[in-house]
Amino acid sequence: MGRLVQIAILPRQQEDLDYILELALEKEKLRRDGISDWRIRKRSIDARRKPIKINLQIEIWLKGEKRETIPPFVPQDVSKAKEIAIIGAGPAGLYAALRAIEAGLKPIVFERGKDVRERRRDLAAINKDQIVNPESNYCFGEGGAGTYSDGKLYTRSKKRGNVLKALEWFVHFGADEDILVDAHPHIGTNKLPKIITAMREAIIENGGEVHFNSKLTDLKLKANAIEAIQINNEKWFEFENVILATGHSARDIFYLLHNKNIKIEAKPFAIGVRVEHQQELIDYIQYHGEVDNPFLPPASYALVEQVDGLGVYSFCMCPGGIIAPCATEQEEVVTNGWSPSKRNNPYANSGIVVSVEPKDLPNYKKDDPFVCLNFQKEVEKRCWEAGGKTQRVPAQRMIDFVEGKLSEDFPKTSYQPGIVSADLNEVLPALLSKRLKKAFVAFGKKMKGYYTNQAVLHAPESRTSSPIAIPRNSETLEHIEIKGLYPCGEGAGYAGGIISAAIDGINCVDAIVLKLETRKL
């Protein structure tokens, strides 16, 4: 690592590399001929006050020092190596497969959905024809939920593993190098499919396997250890090690585990609505009226408030984004948001959700692992009914919601299946609606102009995380009761986004490698 220097510049100066270097050198009292190399290591916007600034972390190598370049991904031929099964081709599953190849193990990936290109037809069907394919949708299919619902790479999970390694792999497979620099990196739904395809091709090229339309339907156990898995209710495959990376919406997996007497637990999650403003308004608020600065990206926001003992906060904020229909069954509606790489749509949307503990729920039972899942399903079905039993969602203007008035009309929405006017106070459980109303008023005081009837609430935002955890040993990462079963990623309760899920996939493979090496000793 070189010497790190912190500097701040104006937005219009961020393309002037000569100026940036001179400023860093001046701060460190260095001469240009006294260094061998330099780079921008981190970049973030400071819009707390005028003038808006860009904070930069500059890394400088002095003369005689060498900037190390380590290959991010080092594959090997694993076609004849020991096999491990990976269930799911989301970020956790794909990164587990890539790490397995590095470690000399042969990954066999089983994905219930279609490949990333074929998924597009099913996304078009849900958007245009309101037909939900339960095996191929915004949540299921190659790349997982993040592929077609934004691709934000920001994570606070620094202690879970090597964030830089995860980001470098994205760059290796085609992402822009800016994701290594930006404080809140984002790839964009329009660019992710090509990157995911490159990852899959690398897995196959180096001897791994990837099988689509291949759903886990049963497990065979022997002496509390994994012996085999069944795919599509037909063929059995013998495996000693199975990484379960099925994502937060694979409810059938929770029921399968429960029916096999494999322990699962209810876990806290969050649920609420997705709010859409005009992006120009958010820019005006966040940039202190400076809406025409071509050197500033579309503005984002992060909000949090404690309301009656529960946290209410913004989730997956999408500048210049679109609200998408993310149901995985026909008789439910679910919203999420995404942005293209340029974030150039006229709308800004964000989940505004209430953090819920199992004991907070009216249907709470101490030993019921499905208490949160059942609440989630109930909200999604009530919203489906209120939306006319289609993929249209019940909606209400923000102030109308707080004041309990039915909205008579709406501004244009980015949600393609459409919206239906409804009083969300009657549609959503009081546990949610009462807190959301107080939170919106509070958010309006924190962000002047946020609380407006030009903002439209789309209900529900319900798939923030898994409502069920699959418990595992903190050291071996195996299920606490079943040897060889590795609960992994968001679906198991150990990640909260693309990068943390990817890191967890890497960690699970490392745990398998350690176990196998220990056996040899």
Side-chain angles (χ1 to χ4, degrees), residues 256-487:
L256 169 62
L257 297 178
H258 186 66
N259 291 337
K260 303 293 289 189
N261 293 316
I262 297 174
K263 187 175 180 60
I264 59 175
E265 301 170 336
K267 67 173 279 291
F269 75 120
I271 186 168
V273 296
R274 187 151 283 267
V275 179
E276 186 168 76
H277 291 79
Q278 288 292 312
Q279 180 63 50
E280 187 175 15
L281 173 63
I282 300 302
D283 291 345
Y284 184 86
I285 297 169
Q286 296 297 77
Y287 293 150
H288 316 288
E290 195 173 338
V291 295
D292 297 321
N293 190 329
F295 301 102
L296 288 173
S300 63
Y301 62 82
L303 294 165
V304 62
E305 185 76 16
Q306 283 292 318
V307 182
D308 299 338
L310 298 180
V312 183
Y313 60 94
S314 57
F315 168 81
C316 184
M317 195 275 147
C318 301
I322 291 171
I323 299 178
C326 293
T328 51
E329 296 287 345
Q330 193 65 43
E331 295 187 359
E332 66 188 25
V333 291
V334 179
T335 66
N336 198 353
W338 64 273
S339 300
S341 57
K342 292 183 179 179
R343 292 178 161 172
N344 56 355
N345 281 291
Y347 310 100
N349 69 74
S350 178
I352 300 295
V353 294
V354 180
S355 182
V356 178
E357 297 274 347
K359 61 181 176 57
D360 298 323
L361 300 176
N363 57 328
Y364 174 68
K365 293 179 183 177
K366 184 178 180 181
D367 297 318
D368 180 8
F370 296 104
V371 59
C372 292
L373 176 57
N374 289 338
F375 182 79
Q376 182 189 59
K377 289 171 66 175
E378 177 191 355
V379 171
E380 292 172 359
K381 186 162 187 178
R382 284 170 65 170
C383 289
W384 172 75
E385 292 170 343
K389 298 184 177 181
T390 67
Q391 283 304 300
R392 294 186 299 172
V393 296
Q396 196 168 13
R397 290 177 182 262
M398 185 182 287
I399 295 177
D400 287 348
F401 169 64
V402 173
E403 296 180 352
K405 299 177 182 177
L406 199 64
S407 299
E408 296 181 0
D409 57 14
F410 294 100
K412 190 175 180 181
T413 174
S414 69
Y415 183 75
Q416 193 170 347
I419 58 180
V420 175
S421 182
D423 186 353
L424 297 182
N425 293 283
E426 297 178 0
V427 177
L428 298 174
L431 169 73
L432 305 178
S433 62
K434 289 182 178 179
R435 289 173 171 84
L436 287 171
K437 287 195 289 186
K438 292 180 180 181
F440 285 131
V441 173
F443 291 161
K445 295 175 181 177
K446 293 180 178 181
M447 280 180 65
K448 302 297 183 183
Y450 181 88
Y451 181 61
T452 171
N453 234 16
Q454 292 305 304
V456 178
L457 283 51
H458 300 61
E461 166 70 73
S462 52
R463 305 287 177 95
T464 60
S465 62
S466 174
I468 287 179
I470 308 174
R472 70 186 187 190
N473 183 292
S474 60
E475 294 183 2
T476 68
L477 304 190
E478 292 173 300
H479 188 276
I480 58 173
E481 297 173 346
I482 309 299
K483 297 295 183 184
L485 180 64
Y486 292 81

Side-chain angles (χ1 to χ4, degrees), residues 7-23:
I7 63 172
I9 62 173
L10 298 174
R12 60 181 169 79
Q13 296 168 329
Q14 58 188 317
E15 299 297 327
D16 191 342
L17 298 183
D18 284 335
Y19 174 78
I20 290 170
L21 176 57
E22 288 300 329
L23 197 62

Side-chain angles (χ1 to χ4, degrees), residues 151-211:
K152 281 188 279 294
L153 304 180
Y154 178 63
T155 179
R156 294 185 178 90
S157 306
K158 309 298 183 185
K159 295 181 180 180
R160 291 183 180 177
N162 193 333
V163 173
L164 182 59
K165 181 182 181 71
L167 292 172
E168 285 179 337
W169 278 9
F170 268 114
V171 172
H172 177 80
F173 290 106
D176 194 290
E177 289 189 357
D178 279 353
I179 69 170
L180 302 176
V181 175
D182 290 332
H184 292 80
H186 170 253
I187 293 178
T189 290
N190 55 318
K191 292 187 175 181
L192 262 171
K194 188 175 181 180
I195 296 167
I196 297 301
T197 299
M199 289 180 175
R200 179 226 308 157
E201 290 172 347
I203 293 166
I204 295 171
E205 180 183 331
N206 291 287
E209 298 178 15
V210 181
H211 302 277

Side-chain angles (χ1 to χ4, degrees), residues 55-88:
N55 290 328
L56 298 177
Q57 183 185 75
I58 309 299
E59 188 169 12
I60 295 174
W61 287 267
L62 301 179
K63 207 147 199 174
E65 296 178 341
K66 190 175 181 181
R67 177 174 172 178
E68 293 184 11
T69 55
I70 302 171
F73 177 62
V74 185
Q76 56 184 306
D77 183 2
V78 296
S79 55
K80 297 180 181 180
K82 183 175 180 61
E83 297 177 351
I84 64 171
I86 299 171
I87 312 301

Side-chain angles (χ1 to χ4, degrees), residues 29-145:
K29 296 181 172 55
L30 295 171
R31 293 166 52 90
R32 192 175 284 227
D33 59 8
I35 68 170
S36 63
D37 204 352
W38 74 284
R39 67 172 176 175
I40 299 173
R41 184 166 178 177
K42 285 296 174 186
R43 176 173 53 226
S44 62
I45 297 174
D46 183 357
R48 290 173 294 179
R49 62 185 66 87
K50 280 189 171 185
I52 297 168
K53 293 185 178 180
I54 306 294
N55 290 328
L56 298 177
Q57 183 185 75
I58 309 299
E59 188 169 12
I60 295 174
W61 287 267
L62 301 179
K63 207 147 199 174
E65 296 178 341
K66 190 175 181 181
R67 177 174 172 178
E68 293 184 11
T69 55
I70 302 171
F73 177 62
V74 185
Q76 56 184 306
D77 183 2
V78 296
S79 55
K80 297 180 181 180
K82 183 175 180 61
E83 297 177 351
I84 64 171
I86 299 171
I87 312 301
L94 287 173
Y95 268 60
L98 293 170
R99 176 65 190 128
I101 288 170
E102 277 199 333
L105 296 172
K106 180 176 180 177
I108 313 293
V109 182
F110 297 96
E111 167 56 50
R112 69 191 298 162
K114 301 176 183 179
D115 69 56
V116 73
R117 182 173 294 275
E118 287 295 312
R119 285 178 73 183
R120 293 176 181 173
R121 297 180 183 179
D122 298 305
L123 303 188
I126 192 172
N127 274 296
K128 297 176 182 178
D129 304 320
Q130 307 193 30
I131 298 171
V132 180
N133 182 336
E135 307 302 340
S136 178
N137 43 63
Y138 276 94
C139 292
F140 298 150
E142 185 180 25

